[in-house]
Amino acid sequence: MAPINGSKPLVLLFFVELCVSLFSTAGAISPAYGDGYTIYGRVKIPQGLGVKGFALPGKISNVKILLNGGQNITFLRPDGYFSFHNVPAGTHLIEVAAAGHFFSPVRVDVSARNPGKVQAALTENRKGLSELVLEPLHEEQYYEIREPFSIMSVVKSPMGLMVGFMLVFVFLMPKLVENMDPEEMRRAQEEMRNQGVPSLASLLPGAGRS
Amino acid sequence: MAAAVRFFILLLLFLSSLNPILSLYEDQVGLVDWHQQYIGKVKHAVFHTQKTGRKRVVVSTEENVVASLDLRHGEIFWRHVLGTKDAIDGIDIALGKYVITLSSGGSILRAWNLPDGQMVWESSLQGPKDSKTLLLVEKSSKVDKDNMVIVLGRGCLHGVSSVDGEILWKKEFDTQSLKIQQVIQPPGSDFIYVVGFSSSSLFEVYQINAKNGEELQHETAAFTGDFSQELSLVSSETLVALDAARSSLVTISLQSGKISFQQAYISHLVEGSSGPAVMLPSPVTGIFAVKINAVTVFIKVTGEGKLEVVDKTEHTTIISDALPFTEGQQAFALVQHEGNKIHLIMKLADNWGSDLLKETIEMDQQRGLVHKVFVNNYIRTDRSHGFRVLVVMEDHSLLLLQQGAVVWSREESLASIVDITTSELPLEKQGVSVAKVEHNLFEWLKGHWLKLKGTLMLASPEDVAAIQKIRLKSSEKSKMTRDHNGFRKLLIVLTRAGKLFALHTGDGRIVWSLLLPLLRYSENCQHPMGVNLYQWQVPHHHAMDENPSVLVVGKCGQSSDALGVLSFVDTYTGKVLRSFGLDHSVAQVVPLPSTDSTEQRLHLIIDADKHAHLYPKTPEAVGIFQSELSNIYGYSIEADNGIIKGHALKSKCVGKEADEYCFGTRELWSVVFPSESEKIIATVTRRPNEVVHTQAKVIVDQDVMYKYISRNLLFVATVAPKASGEIGSATPEESWLIVYLIDTVTGRILHRMSHHGSQGPVHAVFSENWVVYHYFNLRAHRYEMSVIEIYDQSRAENKDVWKLVLGKHNLTSPISSYSRPEVVTKSQSYFFTHSVKAMAVTLTAKGITSKQLLIGTIGDQVLALDKRFLDPRRTVNPTQAEKEEGIIPLTDSLPIIPQSYVTHALKVEGLRGIITVPAKLESTTLVFAHGVDLFFTQLAPSRTYDSLTEDFSYALLLLTIIALVAAIFVTWVLSERKDLQEKWR
């Protein structure tokens, strides 16, 4: 159950001590025009958990709470509380837009029969919420993090591989060729000459002479 | 050997495919993208300059933005974009630290912390009916007193504490028909007057205790004539009203709650005036203004309700708000136009004869008339008074004038873009060398030396900063000439103010701007509005020397039969080539594929009577058009009636005198949706300029599928009428969404699919042979995205090689809408987390590059999502062959990868649309997202496979080459030596 209550009989279930000071007069004085209900909730953003080297762009003042895909938009109070007024009974969707944080949309059922009885559930993982306190599922990192310079990254780059490959051919291949049996080598060269196929081996210095 | 090469290539491929996500490093921000922040046309402004420190002005705008601006430079300190239905009715500053906004027709009152924009409190005010809204903040000199905010909204008067937003009292009025006009609080008193009309001649005054809302007194007085409901407040106890005939002024005095009328005829006051009078809003004490025809008359109210004309002017005059000046005095500004100059006159309220200040300021012609003026004063160092004037112009721009000059200006017109098109830049002129334009050789060398140091990690922090500066300021990207890759273009945008801008894609600067004369108020065209922009002339083959031009289509008013206006604008110079009003309305504009000999594109304008008018009106165009006449089909969507109709053209207009440029239409087919069960909410077609590289799609096992590619497909989405409202208004049982694919030439429905328990809003994109659409699934209570791919079955038999060899294939047979298509469709649905505001698809020059969907989310970000995630052939366990083809295992929801947000950490506040434009380079597409903010970037959906990336290190390449050359020399020397040794042996 989330702290949602109709504006007619104001039944506050949670955050009573806080909500009374803020809203009780609002509800007590105003007679109902239309049959709107009020949804109260809270957004909690853990502070100081920013990923290293990445300043969190989202300030609490820039967080927006959206009802039903932007039908109503509200903002957070300094303590993280928000409210939607004049919401008709039914099933609604609340989204939180906060840069740098990923929030799951929340399904909120506002009951017409017994005001105050409401249900809220995260739509991403179908987790029910006992009270309408929204927390980010995870942080969003919009940038790739640059790898620090390392020899490996140079070696792994296409150019590094090229150099490495050439070095292998220049220094290792002659060694391999040297270790071969001269007889066999000559035979192989004969064969190649007969085929007329130019091979890399024949172009290598030293291979033709040994 | 071969194995080694293969291994090497595979390794390279592996390395290059490690990172399939398009992503950005933080230091690359601003290299190819730019972001501009706007607020919209200012409605109200309140200055906050009393305290030392930052001087600021708080504004609210027509885009529902409340913002705090730096008064020195015009930059935004903070800004909040409220909901689209949350229009701001009034703003003020309370307690010197809170900004109070009243919005949503007087039902939501919010307070924002002035320094940082944090919302402090929010109150919901409720009442029985819509009414005029007023916001009154008690200006008490005592600091410790709880200043109250008095709000008139929804027919009730509320007293709200400005400290915590608590509603202290609420006053409802007994008279149902009472229309409250003014709420007055005489200075230094504890009561307020509420005045209004309860019928056309009945005037009512309530005196209310400001502390507790108690009614102290209620007076009603009937006037002998009728009132026109226009009322001007002259002083705290005197009001002036106009009578219904608009010929006489009625002075209403409220001496201690008693009402007394005094009537005076305008013709007696003003010599030789005739015609109805209009009251101009004037918040200045003791003086009010009346406009009779084009003459503005200033009338002073002396004691005992006597009226006295003080001034008369024929210039267009705008009166500012009142400025509390020295003790008990009020100052105000008058702004008058004269040619391209404006005269700014500051006056004291009780001394009309002398001017405090008179300045003349040169104004840009492209800004139009002054619409609103707000004044503020400051004390100069020599203790004299100086004035700052904030001016809102006809083109929505915001200017701060001080000491006869424009201190800063903001082009707020760009916050409300209506339509966008692009134009190529001029070709580079021969004889101008690139190096000369950029910088000298030394600087070039220095830049590259710095870059080299950067790559070798030898650069000091200062060097790094210098490198970043060079990268960002690269003159290459903001040059005014066409580039080889097609990255540099002009974005031509039409705004709601009727102003046309050319923005450079390199850095977003305004190249030129033009307030279209035809889209300004005139006698013939009272409420002009720009509708669309089209590329009129894109010279390439025949008319190389001509400048490209765009066509601006507008109409005079909201109604469907309002007459149209056309303007042709040169995109290089920003000058109007020609413009004229039309003698018919504009319902639809159809750019045709053919152009005339000067590369002017033929356009058909369909009017409300279903006549088609051809433009340009030349005999040549008619000749070209006549030959194509039988092949031109159109369709019209009547969303209110639920009918889609197909039309063909006839050679003559019916019921019109001989007009060879007018063609009649006849109805070919119609699709009627049952109005009790279906309501059209979205229609989408393919982009006409989209290029499809190949019709064939090679799938697993070298099998081929043929895409059904037709330019004449229309995607239509309908919902149950009950579920056409917002989420939460219908239950899953009574809502459904049905989508259709309709051929617009024959009216044939190629595909129909229904989603039970789903509802809109539907956002869709149509590209090649697929449609992707976004909607809300009420059963799962989540958003969903579905894809439909449509394939041509008639070509499926062509797989047989023997048929191909023997020529028995039908590959060369033309694709025609007339032939009965044998199509198969495949579709799949996925969950998607966010609400969507806009959706687009990347567009490349040749259509080879794979596609990405660009999704504008509710958080005002743009997410790039690979089309591969929306592939109906995805399965939970793809086979090895399918994996090789690139099919991703099926998941129930689409992934949201933060690094693939095109807008990275930025937001395009109030996002409304995304457009994509192909660059000349096949891999790259240009993306422009607009709302209250503008954002532009380049995007390479399959990475930049045809060019080197920006961070490609030329220095490392050079080093490698040098190393290789050195190695060759070393080995050569070594081998020589070895040879010599062998010979000696």
Side-chain angles (χ1 to χ4, degrees):
Chain A
M1 275 191 301
I4 297 176
N5 34 327
S7 35
K8 276 173 271 184
L10 197 94
V11 188
L12 284 165
L13 294 163
F14 291 92
F15 320 132
V16 173
E17 62 292 330
L18 188 114
C19 292
V20 163
S21 65
L22 280 181
F23 320 112
S24 59
T25 38
I29 291 176
S30 62
Y33 299 105
D35 45 0
Y37 298 86
T38 304
I39 301 175
Y40 297 116
R42 182 176 184 191
V43 173
K44 262 187 186 168
I45 296 177
Q47 292 297 317
L49 281 174
V51 183
K52 189 167 60 95
F54 171 63
L56 277 180
K59 281 192 300 183
I60 192 163
S61 64
N62 289 331
V63 176
K64 273 186 194 176
I65 321 294
L66 306 112
L67 181 73
N68 294 342
Q71 177 197 338
N72 287 347
I73 297 177
T74 191
F75 301 84
L76 291 184
R77 291 192 178 87
D79 52 8
Y81 285 87
F82 67 88
S83 51
F84 285 108
H85 304 279
N86 263 334
V87 181
T91 309
H92 301 277
L93 190 76
I94 290 180
E95 285 168 278
V96 181
H101 300 278
F102 179 83
F103 281 87
S104 164
V106 186
R107 169 202 175 116
V108 175
D109 294 287
V110 178
S111 161
R113 246 171 272 145
N114 37 357
K117 286 256 179 190
V118 284
Q119 280 164 349
L122 298 181
T123 61
E124 282 293 287
N125 48 19
R126 292 163 204 274
K127 206 178 97 185
L129 293 178
S130 60
E131 48 185 18
L132 200 55
V133 175
L134 312 178
E135 283 178 77
L137 290 187
H138 53 81
E139 279 181 12
E140 286 191 328
Q141 168 91 40
Y142 299 117
Y143 302 109
E144 291 286 302
I145 296 172
R146 267 203 197 281
E147 296 288 321
F149 177 76
S150 73
I151 274 297
M152 271 318 280
S153 73
V154 171
V155 173
K156 273 199 278 184
S157 75
M159 250 89 75
L161 284 172
M162 226 159 81
V163 171
F165 196 64
M166 290 309 285
L167 287 177
V168 166
F169 265 76
V170 168
F171 294 107
L172 288 181
M173 282 306 271
K175 291 270 186 300
L176 285 175
V177 172
E178 262 172 29
N179 292 346
M180 275 171 92
D181 186 28
E183 281 294 315
E184 222 172 282
M185 191 74 196
R186 204 163 294 130
R187 207 183 305 140
Q189 275 177 357
E190 281 297 309
E191 261 174 42
M192 270 174 202
R193 231 166 267 143
N194 290 346
Q195 282 171 356
V197 180
S199 81
L200 199 64
S202 68
L203 295 173
L204 282 173
R209 278 179 288 263
S210 57
Chain B
M1 191 73 229
V5 171
R6 185 179 285 175
F7 167 75
F8 182 65
I9 290 170
L10 278 178
L11 193 72
L12 266 183
L13 280 178
F14 169 73
L15 283 171
S16 62
S17 65
L18 262 181
N19 191 0
I21 319 153
L22 179 114
S23 53
L24 199 71
Y25 296 104
E26 199 162 2
D27 53 56
Q28 289 175 326
V29 171
L31 283 183
V32 293
D33 58 316
W34 47 262
H35 181 233
Q36 295 177 353
Q37 293 187 315
Y38 293 99
I39 51 176
K41 186 183 183 183
V42 169
K43 278 202 286 198
H44 315 279
V46 184
F47 292 90
H48 185 258
T49 52
Q50 285 89 354
K51 294 246 175 70
T52 48
R54 281 171 163 181
K55 306 244 181 293
R56 54 187 95 219
V57 56
V58 181
V59 294
S60 73
T61 73
E62 289 181 356
E63 300 295 323
N64 302 349
V65 175
V66 50
S68 165
L69 303 179
D70 184 352
L71 210 45
R72 284 185 211 289
H73 310 289
E75 284 146 9
I76 298 170
F77 281 138
W78 53 262
R79 172 182 68 151
H80 290 292
V81 183
L82 308 187
T84 44
K85 290 181 206 153
D86 207 5
I88 300 168
D89 305 309
I91 57 168
D92 211 335
I93 293 177
L95 301 171
K97 58 179 182 180
Y98 293 157
V99 177
I100 310 283
T101 62
L102 179 68
S103 59
S104 281
S107 61
I108 297 178
L109 191 69
R110 293 192 181 101
W112 313 86
N113 196 11
L114 190 57
D116 60 359
Q118 167 72 49
M119 193 179 84
V120 187
W121 50 258
E122 180 187 48
S123 286
S124 163
L125 312 174
Q126 283 162 17
K129 59 178 184 194
D130 287 338
S131 74
K132 196 172 171 174
T133 57
L134 283 167
L135 176 67
L136 203 72
V137 175
E138 280 189 344
K139 295 270 190 262
S140 163
S141 48
K142 288 170 234 154
V143 184
D144 55 325
K145 203 180 148 199
D146 177 9
N147 290 25
M148 204 188 283
V149 182
I150 291 159
V151 179
L152 172 70
R154 304 205 59 80
C156 299
L157 200 65
H158 307 261
V160 184
S161 160
S162 60
V163 174
D164 55 7
E166 191 182 338
I167 299 173
L168 301 172
W169 52 263
K170 176 175 175 177
K171 167 74 189 158
E172 280 186 73
F173 297 97
D174 315 323
T175 331
Q176 275 302 308
S177 59
L178 179 70
K179 285 203 177 75
I180 299 167
Q181 296 293 328
Q182 283 287 350
V183 177
I184 313 152
Q185 181 163 36
S189 60
D190 277 345
F191 58 92
I192 40 183
Y193 286 124
V194 176
V195 298
F197 302 103
S198 57
S199 72
S200 58
S201 65
L202 216 56
F203 184 77
E204 303 214 17
V205 178
Y206 286 86
Q207 195 179 0
I208 285 163
N209 187 335
K211 289 264 173 293
N212 50 20
E214 268 173 39
E215 187 179 313
L216 299 173
Q217 207 173 3
H218 177 204
E219 289 285 324
T220 309
F223 179 57
T224 44
D226 283 351
F227 287 112
S228 69
Q229 306 278 325
E230 274 182 49
L231 198 66
S232 184
L233 183 67
V234 175
S235 71
S236 57
E237 295 194 327
T238 319
L239 297 122
V240 176
L242 261 179
D243 74 342
R246 295 180 180 277
S247 62
S248 65
L249 294 164
V250 184
T251 317
I252 306 162
S253 310
L254 314 169
Q255 285 299 326
S256 60
K258 292 274 177 286
I259 306 166
S260 62
F261 296 120
Q262 242 177 327
Q263 196 173 9
Y265 287 94
I266 295 174
S267 51
H268 294 178
L269 278 171
V270 188
E271 295 284 314
S273 71
S274 60
V278 179
M279 282 223 151
L280 295 181
S282 159
V284 187
T285 310
I287 290 173
F288 67 96
V290 174
K291 197 172 176 182
I292 308 152
N293 292 332
V295 184
T296 311
V297 183
F298 294 91
I299 300 170
K300 189 172 184 174
V301 184
T302 54
E304 298 100 44
K306 285 273 176 292
L307 303 180
E308 186 187 312
V309 176
V310 289
D311 202 1
K312 219 162 51 158
T313 175
E314 291 193 16
H315 294 294
T316 323
T317 306
I318 309 292
I319 311 157
S320 76
D321 55 343
L323 172 75
F325 197 49
T326 48
E327 273 307 301
Q329 291 240 39
Q330 276 188 326
F332 65 100
L334 291 176
V335 175
Q336 289 176 341
H337 280 272
E338 195 187 288
N340 58 349
K341 293 194 188 93
I342 60 165
H343 299 295
L344 175 73
I345 306 152
M346 292 291 312
K347 281 183 193 290
L348 278 175
D350 55 0
N351 185 1
W352 187 273
S354 65
D355 300 337
L356 280 174
L357 178 83
K358 191 163 181 173
E359 281 172 353
T360 303
I361 298 150
E362 288 269 348
M363 255 314 159
D364 184 358
Q365 277 290 293
Q366 302 304 340
R367 296 202 187 277
L369 304 174
V370 173
H371 272 189
K372 280 198 169 94
V373 183
F374 303 95
V375 281
N376 177 239
N377 67 330
Y378 61 94
I379 311 277
R380 294 211 193 96
T381 41
D382 59 351
R383 300 214 140 266
S384 63
H385 285 278
F387 295 95
R388 296 186 192 96
V389 181
L390 196 67
V391 180
V392 183
M393 304 294 291
E394 188 183 358
D395 73 337
H396 297 186
S397 59
L398 185 68
L399 291 91
L400 185 81
L401 309 179
Q402 199 173 332
Q403 294 178 344
V406 177
V407 181
W408 50 260
S409 64
R410 297 181 60 89
E411 286 288 352
E412 292 307 334
S413 184
L414 287 168
S416 53
I417 290 177
V418 175
D419 201 7
I420 305 153
T421 188
T422 55
S423 165
E424 293 291 341
L425 282 160
L427 283 168
E428 198 151 319
K429 288 279 188 309
Q430 277 175 350
V432 182
S433 99
V434 181
K436 217 185 269 171
V437 176
E438 287 181 8
H439 36 217
N440 59 37
L441 184 73
F442 176 70
E443 278 184 16
W444 185 86
L445 272 177
K446 208 172 120 190
H448 274 261
W449 173 242
L450 274 175
K451 265 191 176 175
L452 184 73
K453 271 169 94 179
T455 8
L456 296 176
M457 303 290 157
L458 298 170
S460 62
E462 297 96 78
D463 288 345
V464 172
I467 296 167
Q468 189 72 358
K469 210 173 139 197
I470 289 171
R471 284 163 83 189
L472 291 178
K473 253 182 61 184
S474 156
S475 54
E476 185 67 28
K477 70 173 187 183
S478 55
K479 265 193 334 196
M480 275 304 297
T481 50
R482 216 174 282 186
D483 66 331
H484 187 66
N485 292 334
F487 293 160
R488 292 199 297 262
K489 282 183 201 299
L490 285 179
L491 287 167
I492 313 289
V493 299
L494 176 67
T495 64
R496 213 174 53 212
K499 201 171 185 183
L500 204 62
F501 288 89
L503 305 177
H504 195 289
T505 56
D507 52 4
R509 68 175 190 275
I510 296 166
V511 177
W512 52 258
S513 63
L514 169 73
L515 190 63
L516 285 165
L518 265 185
L519 293 181
R520 295 178 66 180
Y521 172 86
S522 66
E523 286 299 314
N524 305 331
C525 196
Q526 302 269 349
H527 303 284
M529 50 188 268
V531 183
N532 285 113
L533 265 182
Y534 297 93
Q535 290 185 343
W536 177 253
Q537 198 177 16
V538 186
H540 51 108
H541 282 113
H542 310 297
M544 264 331 259
D545 298 332
E546 302 228 9
N547 290 355
S549 53
V550 289
L551 165 67
V552 185
V553 182
K555 54 186 193 178
C556 298
Q558 291 280 358
S559 67
S560 65
D561 54 352
L563 295 182
V565 287
L566 297 187
S567 265
F568 300 87
V569 180
D570 185 324
T571 62
Y572 288 176
T573 60
K575 297 272 178 297
V576 178
L577 297 172
R578 53 186 189 284
S579 61
F580 45 86
L582 304 179
D583 54 356
H584 55 82
S585 58
V586 178
Q588 202 181 347
V589 183
V590 187
L592 298 174
S594 35
T595 57
D596 70 0
S597 59
T598 56
E599 298 284 338
Q600 295 188 58
R601 188 159 299 281
L602 271 54
H603 283 71
L604 267 188
I605 297 182
I606 320 281
D607 65 15
D609 304 324
K610 296 263 187 314
H611 293 302
H613 303 267
L614 180 69
Y615 292 89
K617 288 197 168 186
T618 57
E620 188 201 354
V622 174
I624 298 167
F625 186 69
Q626 288 284 3
S627 62
E628 294 284 330
L629 191 63
S630 58
N631 282 330
I632 295 171
Y633 297 89
Y635 65 92
S636 59
I637 301 158
E638 292 166 27
D640 298 334
N641 307 331
I643 303 174
I644 296 177
K645 284 178 183 162
H647 306 279
L649 289 173
K650 288 190 290 192
S651 54
K652 279 279 166 289
C653 261
V654 186
K656 276 214 170 186
E657 65 270 27
D659 180 1
E660 54 180 325
Y661 305 107
C662 178
F663 301 88
T665 54
R666 64 192 157 87
E667 200 180 307
L668 285 180
W669 52 265
S670 63
V671 177
V672 182
F673 298 98
S675 60
E676 67 276 6
S677 64
E678 291 183 44
K679 184 176 187 290
I680 300 174
I681 56 160
T683 55
V684 154
T685 54
R686 271 179 62 191
R687 291 268 294 271
N689 57 345
E690 190 188 52
V691 183
V692 180
H693 176 60
T694 171
Q695 201 198 347
K697 183 176 182 178
V698 181
I699 53 167
V700 190
D701 304 328
Q702 271 72 50
D703 214 345
V704 180
M705 288 181 86
Y706 291 91
K707 301 173 187 168
Y708 183 79
I709 291 162
S710 163
R711 292 209 176 278
N712 306 318
L713 278 186
L714 175 71
F715 169 84
V716 181
T718 66
V719 288
K722 236 184 162 178
S724 58
E726 274 126 2
I727 296 163
S729 58
T731 60
E733 289 71 34
E734 58 192 16
S735 58
W736 51 84
L737 169 78
I738 305 171
V739 296
Y740 298 87
L741 286 175
I742 298 173
D743 188 307
T744 55
V745 172
T746 58
R748 186 177 287 134
I749 294 172
L750 296 175
H751 183 65
R752 177 187 188 276
M753 192 159 73
S754 56
H755 299 271
H756 287 284
S758 294
Q759 70 164 94
V762 170
H763 294 273
V765 283
F766 201 146
S767 172
E768 294 198 351
N769 66 326
W770 52 264
V771 192
V772 169
Y773 52 101
H774 176 273
Y775 55 93
F776 192 70
N777 181 338
L778 281 165
R779 285 187 208 281
H781 218 76
R782 293 176 81 172
Y783 284 100
E784 262 184 15
M785 274 170 95
S786 281
V787 57
I788 302 176
E789 290 191 356
I790 175 162
Y791 291 98
D792 191 347
Q793 206 57 30
S794 60
R795 281 155 203 259
E797 302 104 63
N798 294 328
K799 283 174 230 161
D800 194 343
V801 181
W802 283 112
K803 273 191 179 172
L804 284 175
V805 172
L806 297 172
K808 282 193 176 173
H809 61 84
N810 60 354
L811 281 181
T812 48
S813 68
I815 298 171
S816 167
S817 282
Y818 295 126
S819 59
R820 190 176 171 74
E822 299 165 49
V823 294
V824 285
T825 53
K826 289 165 178 270
S827 75
Q828 214 168 51
S829 300
Y830 321 87
F831 289 125
F832 185 74
T833 308
H834 298 298
S835 299
V836 165
K837 281 185 162 180
M839 201 147 73
V841 66
T842 57
L843 210 60
T844 54
K846 300 274 183 288
I848 301 167
T849 310
S850 62
K851 302 262 178 192
Q852 271 184 337
L853 289 167
L854 299 173
I855 303 166
T857 63
I858 193 78
D860 295 320
Q861 291 168 300
V862 179
L863 179 76
L865 187 68
D866 251 21
K867 169 66 177 60
R868 290 189 301 153
F869 288 109
L870 289 133
D871 186 338
R873 298 191 301 120
R874 279 175 74 180
T875 50
V876 180
N877 286 313
T879 61
Q880 191 57 37
E882 281 177 332
K883 268 186 197 156
E884 269 173 27
E885 195 201 321
I887 287 186
I888 304 161
L890 182 63
T891 47
D892 66 342
S893 57
L894 294 170
I896 290 172
I897 305 153
Q899 283 95 333
S900 59
Y901 277 110
V902 185
T903 47
H904 41 95
L906 300 172
K907 273 181 161 193
V908 189
E909 287 283 0
L911 182 68
R912 270 189 293 260
I914 304 165
I915 66 150
T916 53
V917 184
K920 265 188 212 145
L921 203 64
E922 167 57 25
S923 67
T924 312
T925 177
L926 310 178
V927 180
F928 181 59
H930 64 95
V932 174
D933 290 354
L934 308 182
F935 180 81
F936 174 89
T937 193
Q938 290 169 16
L939 210 60
S942 312
R943 323 201 81 206
T944 48
Y945 56 82
D946 50 3
S947 66
L948 294 169
T949 52
E950 188 274 331
D951 56 349
F952 179 81
S953 159
Y954 289 91
L956 195 59
L957 178 67
L958 267 174
L959 272 184
T960 316
I961 291 168
I962 290 167
L964 286 177
V965 169
I968 286 167
F969 271 99
V970 169
T971 47
W972 181 65
V973 170
L974 284 177
S975 74
E976 284 285 297
R977 202 177 289 166
K978 199 176 171 192
D979 258 5
L980 200 65
Q981 277 174 2
E982 293 220 338
K983 278 183 184 152
W984 277 108
R985 200 180 283 166

